[in-house]
């Protein structure tokens, strides 16, 4: 598992099935089976937000424009990477596409 703290934290906008956008940051990048997976953690809506952050496990791909995209991993990838990250399934959710 690689934690790239030296990288600038650039917000990743995730749109849910209802069309609402929420910002996340990359907490860690986990290499698995020749691919990379990101652990995305939600950014609180306000400084006083005491809610637990949402965590998403997403496969990272490079699109035709050379930009990183985050997509849903397969079930097998999700299970394997989640076990590497050692987080229970109740704390991880699949991203919506």
């Amino acid at each position: 598992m690689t934690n790239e703290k030296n990288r600038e934290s650039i917000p990743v906008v995730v749109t849910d099935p209802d069309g609402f956008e929420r910002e996340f940051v990359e907490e860690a990048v986990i290499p698995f089976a020749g691919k990379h997976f990101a652990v995305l953690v939600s950014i609180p809506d306000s400084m006083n937000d005491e809610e637990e952050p949402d965590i998403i496990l997403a496969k990272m791909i490079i699109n035709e424009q050379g930009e990183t995209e985050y997509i849903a991993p397969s079930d097998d990838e999700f299970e394997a990477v989640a076990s590497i990250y050692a987080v229970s399934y109740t704390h991880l959710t699949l991203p919506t596409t």
Side-chain angles (χ1 to χ4, degrees):
M1 179 168 61
T2 338
N3 195 340
E4 300 184 21
K5 293 286 184 191
N6 58 344
R7 284 183 45 179
E8 189 176 324
S9 293
I10 299 172
V12 175
V13 178
V14 175
T15 305
D16 71 15
D18 296 323
F20 294 105
E21 293 183 346
R22 183 134 190 228
E23 289 187 335
F24 289 75
V25 291
E26 235 179 61
E27 177 180 273
V29 175
I30 302 168
F32 173 73
K35 299 172 186 132
H36 289 88
F37 298 82
V39 177
L40 303 175
V41 179
S42 63
I43 298 172
D45 293 330
S46 70
M47 296 300 265
N48 298 328
D49 193 350
E50 295 181 18
E51 246 183 70
E52 287 290 319
D54 290 327
I55 299 173
I56 295 174
L57 180 60
K59 182 192 292 188
M60 302 169 73
I61 61 167
I62 304 299
N63 65 18
E64 292 175 0
Q65 293 77 29
E67 299 171 342
T68 301
E69 284 187 27
Y70 301 90
I71 64 171
S74 70
D75 290 344
D76 291 339
E77 290 169 333
F78 181 87
E79 289 178 23
V81 175
S83 67
I84 291 169
Y85 192 64
V87 176
S88 73
Y89 297 111
T90 59
H91 294 104
L92 291 175
T93 58
L94 291 169
T96 58
T97 53

